[in-house]
Amino acid sequence: MLNKKTVTDIDVASRRVLVRLELNVPLDENRNITDDKRIQTTLPTVRYLIEHRARVIICGHMGRPKGKADPAFSLAPVAKRFAELLPGVSVAFATDVIGENARAAIAAMQDGDVVILENVRFHKEETANDPAFARKLAALADIYVNDAFGSSHRAHASTEGVAHFLPAVAGFLVGKELDVMVGAISRPKRPFVAILGGAKVEDKIGVIVNLLNKVDTLIIGGGMAYTFAKAQGGSIGNSLLDESHVEAALDMLNQAKQKGVNFLLPVDAVAADAFSNDANRRTVDIMSIPDGWIGMDIGPKSIEIFKAAVADAQTVIWNGPMGVFEFKNFAEGTRAVAEALAGSGAVTIIGGGDSASAVRQMGYADKMTHISTGGGATLELLEGRELPGLTALDDK
Ligand code: AMP
């Protein structure tokens, strides 16, 4: 993985290892975990540390408790699930983070034991990346492991600050994210195709600008596409328009031309007369969407064009749905792109967020090379930015 040390580069036996994980799982009203996928993804690193006889101190956050202890955001249900997933392992829950309870639980640990600390965001110093707080966190352990890829774009005490006070290495999940994504972006097998969709142009400008220097083909779909259609003089009815980024859209089209990047926009759209699954539908030219109609999905001609681009590709990165896929009647474009990726021989990378849930929901997840666990972190990586939580780790 790049040039950062990972857990396999250090000796962890009998050491207290503070592991930052992504523990922000969805709960129902009775605080039962409704989907433990996130916890499952952390297990390779946790099991490795247990098997190598480390004393494993797990920390992470849940929700936004605004810097004070709030039982509604307790990690107790997460600790319970870890205990279920690790039969035969001693798993204890500490009711605080750096307090007496945590220190006593850690002092009582044997090699191979696990202690899960309470929600690190119960301290406002966490998100403020307060060095004194980071130092106290570090004092609980001998080694720091970051395996919370989805939080690594944030410079918080438990993702960045603490790494300055301890030997700091990456876990397996972070390692895989970097290997696959940074590998694909910096040394792609070509043709390299990026597909971007979703609602907001603003969120993706940085990604588009960076990818224009890397890809052979850039495909834009989803709600974003209408701003590009408008920028080229199209009539887009009531479709999503990011008025303040029409100029930026034109600029990106020009940049693509200068750089010789094949920039593909939808040529048709499935439009609706209301923002609803049951609205009337018609397929229209993207440049002439009738007044009052909303472009909700890419149309059949666009699907064919996008599929042809994917068919030739050796590397494909996809972030953002092609339409309002939450409505069954407008999910076809997103489904067709997912199917095209699933059937291609290319390295296929799904960049988190809505496209990851669409791919899972539509049953194509196991056909992809990699589905990223980070939404915001993935976008920042695609923008070519450094993730502070990863930069802070020790170099090899
Ligand atoms: P983002 O968070 O920017 O990736 O956007 C994801 C959201 O974009 C999803 O909730 C989609 O429903 C929405 N979306 C995709 N296409 C459209 C569209 N044509 N009009 C409105 N919203 C859209």
Side-chain angles (χ1 to χ4, degrees), residues 197-200 203-204 222-223 226 240 275 295-297 320-326 354:
K200 286 206 198 129
D203 291 353
K204 308 274 161 78
Y226 303 96
L240 212 57
F275 193 80
M296 300 279 274
D297 194 9
M322 295 293 100
V324 187
F325 76 105
E326 296 92 336
D354 277 327

Side-chain angles (χ1 to χ4, degrees), residues 40-348:
Q40 298 275 356
T41 61
T42 70
L43 290 176
T45 297
V46 173
R47 288 207 175 103
Y48 174 91
L49 292 170
I50 293 168
E51 279 157 20
H52 288 77
R53 313 308 296 157
R55 301 177 182 202
V56 187
I57 306 162
I58 292 175
C59 82
H61 76 272
M62 163 92 69
R64 294 177 181 211
K66 309 227 167 82
K68 49 181 193 303
D70 178 345
F73 296 100
S74 171
L75 283 176
V78 170
K80 188 162 154 259
R81 181 56 55 92
F82 267 109
E84 290 160 5
L85 292 167
L86 299 168
V89 175
S90 158
V91 178
F93 177 59
T95 55
D96 55 28
V97 184
I98 50 167
E100 239 166 65
N101 195 276
R103 289 201 302 271
I106 293 166
M109 289 176 98
Q110 308 278 319
D111 296 350
D113 286 356
V114 173
V115 165
I116 294 163
L117 302 179
E118 186 48 287
N119 190 342
V120 69
R121 288 197 187 165
F122 283 4
H123 291 264
K124 63 178 183 328
E125 297 87 348
E126 159 66 359
T127 49
N129 198 7
D130 177 71
F133 177 70
R135 194 187 284 274
K136 284 182 194 156
L137 259 184
L140 301 174
D142 306 302
I143 292 168
Y144 170 71
V145 174
N146 181 358
D147 213 18
F149 177 75
S151 298
S152 293
H153 58 310
R154 303 200 170 104
H156 290 174
S158 71
T159 57
E160 201 269 349
V162 68
H164 298 292
F165 300 109
L166 289 173
V169 303
F172 293 122
L173 188 62
V174 160
K176 182 167 184 230
E177 295 278 5
L178 289 179
D179 266 350
V180 179
M181 280 197 287
V182 177
I185 298 167
S186 53
R187 301 178 300 276
K189 284 201 221 149
R190 294 184 181 278
F192 179 15
V193 177
I195 308 173
L196 298 176
K200 286 206 198 129
V201 179
E202 185 178 4
D203 291 353
K204 308 274 161 78
I205 289 178
V207 176
I208 296 174
V209 168
N210 185 44
L211 289 179
L212 281 176
N213 295 316
K214 317 267 181 200
V215 299
D216 302 294
T217 298
L218 185 62
I219 297 177
I220 302 275
M224 276 202 301
Y226 303 96
T227 299
F228 284 86
K230 176 90 179 178
Q232 292 175 296
S235 308
I236 61 166
N238 282 356
S239 307
L240 212 57
L241 170 65
D242 191 341
E243 194 89 61
S244 56
H245 291 94
V246 174
E247 279 297 311
L250 258 191
D251 182 48
M252 285 181 268
L253 286 163
N254 285 333
Q255 279 191 41
K257 213 174 271 166
Q258 278 162 21
K259 293 176 199 275
V261 172
N262 186 21
F263 200 106
L264 296 178
L265 287 162
V267 294
D268 56 355
V270 180
D273 61 356
F275 193 80
S276 144
N277 185 51
D278 304 318
N280 292 309
R281 276 176 284 159
R282 58 202 259 204
T283 299
V284 296
D285 187 302
I286 195 140
M287 298 299 274
S288 43
I289 296 176
D291 285 349
W293 288 70
I294 309 164
M296 300 279 274
D297 194 9
I298 56 173
K301 286 186 196 147
S302 311
I303 289 177
E304 289 314 311
I305 295 169
F306 293 1
K307 271 164 72 175
V310 168
D312 284 345
Q314 291 292 317
T315 305
V316 187
I317 291 184
W318 178 24
N319 184 291
M322 295 293 100
V324 187
F325 76 105
E326 296 92 336
F327 294 155
K328 206 170 116 274
N329 287 335
F330 303 101
E332 180 52 24
T334 302
R335 197 204 58 76
V337 166
E339 184 186 53
L341 263 64
S344 99
V347 171
T348 48

